[in-house]
């Protein structure tokens, strides 16, 4: 069994797979290292042999998590590292070390799967997009606020915007103009995300015509996928890239 982790600043997305290329046995999202340990330990028949992770945390936080995993599960975690090139993809950042590792492994995975030019859009707390040319040159990308950040800013800075998560979920049943505050906010933010995705498609079309693949990943991909029917939705694209960056020997 292999434990895979995508460690963000606020949450850790995790899964356990049967082996390299194997089926997903368990997984979830947690907000603390110890909660992660307890969740993994609860898996029936757990026999971890390997652990790999991609992290956008600082070095100290990442090292503490790796040490905890080594102690609790008797494995030596391997962490993805920045690279100028990987599997034919050339990092397009002027300082390659500053490209978020989750973005890096996801765009490498997208290029491997597509075998041609691609755009990878990750719709999470932030929304990121990355463009990879047919020859594997990473052309750069964009970052903007995702649904949680847009919603949070409106709730924080607008006194009368207050509603719970259940109300937000119900508001997503339609994109009609909102007839109350929660509908107006949730649908407005969704429309902004959809607009962002469509501009990425337009920009890719200017570069490559229709000879490219669009990948959507991240927790809010479902909110925009019908705006781009030709897109491939791959929720675990970061883990696909993690396996490329940190293969099991």
């Amino acid at each position: 069994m292999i434990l895979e982790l995508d460690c963000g600043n606020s949450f850790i997305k995790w899964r356990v797979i049967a082996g390299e290329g194997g089926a997903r046995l368990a997984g979830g999202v947690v907000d603390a290292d110890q909660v992660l340990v307890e969740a993994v330990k609860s898996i029936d028949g757990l026999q971890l042999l390997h652990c790999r992770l991609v992290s956008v945390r600082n070095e100290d936080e990442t090292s503490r998590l790796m040490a905890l995993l080594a102690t609790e599960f008797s494995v030596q975690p391997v962490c993805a590292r920045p690279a100028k090139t990987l599997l034919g993809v050339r990092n397009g950042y002027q300082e390659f070390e500053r490209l978020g590792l989750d973005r890096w492994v996801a765009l490498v995975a997208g290029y491997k799967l597509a075998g041609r030019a691609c755009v990878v859009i990750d719709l999470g707390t932030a929304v990121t997009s990355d463009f990879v040319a047919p020859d594997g040159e990473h052309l750069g990308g964009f970052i903007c606020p995702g649904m949680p950040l847009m919603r949070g800013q409106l709730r924080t800075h607008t006194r009368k915007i207050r509603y719970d998560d259940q109300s937000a979920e119900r508001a997503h049943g339609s994109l009609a103009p909102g007839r109350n505050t929660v509908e107006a906010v949730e649908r407005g933010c969704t429309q902004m995300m959809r607009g962002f995705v469509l501009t990425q498609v337009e920009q890719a079309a200017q570069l490559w015509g229709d000879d490219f693949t669009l990948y959507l990943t991240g927790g809010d991909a479902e909110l925009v996928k019908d705006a781009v029917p030709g897109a491939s939705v791959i929720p675990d694209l970061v883990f696909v890239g993690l396996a490329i960056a940190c293969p099991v020997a």
Side-chain angles (χ1 to χ4, degrees), residues 60-126:
D60 288 344
E61 291 172 329
T62 301
S63 295
R64 285 197 296 270
L65 174 59
M66 293 175 68
L68 176 64
L69 295 170
T71 299
E72 294 288 347
F73 299 111
S74 300
V75 295
Q76 186 56 54
V78 177
C79 187
R81 296 296 179 188
K84 290 184 178 180
T85 62
L86 179 61
L87 204 73
V89 179
R90 298 182 296 283
N91 193 315
Y93 258 32
Q94 294 171 343
E95 299 176 71
F96 74 92
E97 303 95 336
R98 298 187 66 83
L99 176 64
L101 280 168
D102 50 351
R103 287 174 62 192
W104 172 237
V105 299
L107 70 90
V108 169
Y111 184 72
K112 178 187 178 183
L113 293 173
R116 61 174 185 168
C118 66
V119 180
V120 175
I121 303 180
D122 189 338
L123 298 113
T125 302

Side-chain angles (χ1 to χ4, degrees), residues 3-8 11-15 24 27-31 36 52 54 217-219 234-239:
L3 172 62
E4 299 182 319
L5 308 174
D6 176 6
C7 303
F11 298 100
I12 302 173
K13 184 177 181 181
W14 67 277
R15 72 176 188 177
R24 178 184 184 276
V29 179
V30 296
D31 59 2
L36 168 69
R52 57 193 174 205
V54 57
T217 189
I234 304 182
D236 290 334
L237 191 60
V238 168
F239 288 140

Side-chain angles (χ1 to χ4, degrees), residues 176-184 187:
R179 296 177 66 87
N180 54 53
T181 299
V182 61
E183 290 179 354
R187 295 173 189 177

Side-chain angles (χ1 to χ4, degrees), residues 1-2 16-25 47 49:
M1 294 180 184
I2 302 173
V16 172
I17 57 176
E20 196 71 276
R24 178 184 184 276
L25 303 177
Q47 292 183 321
L49 298 178

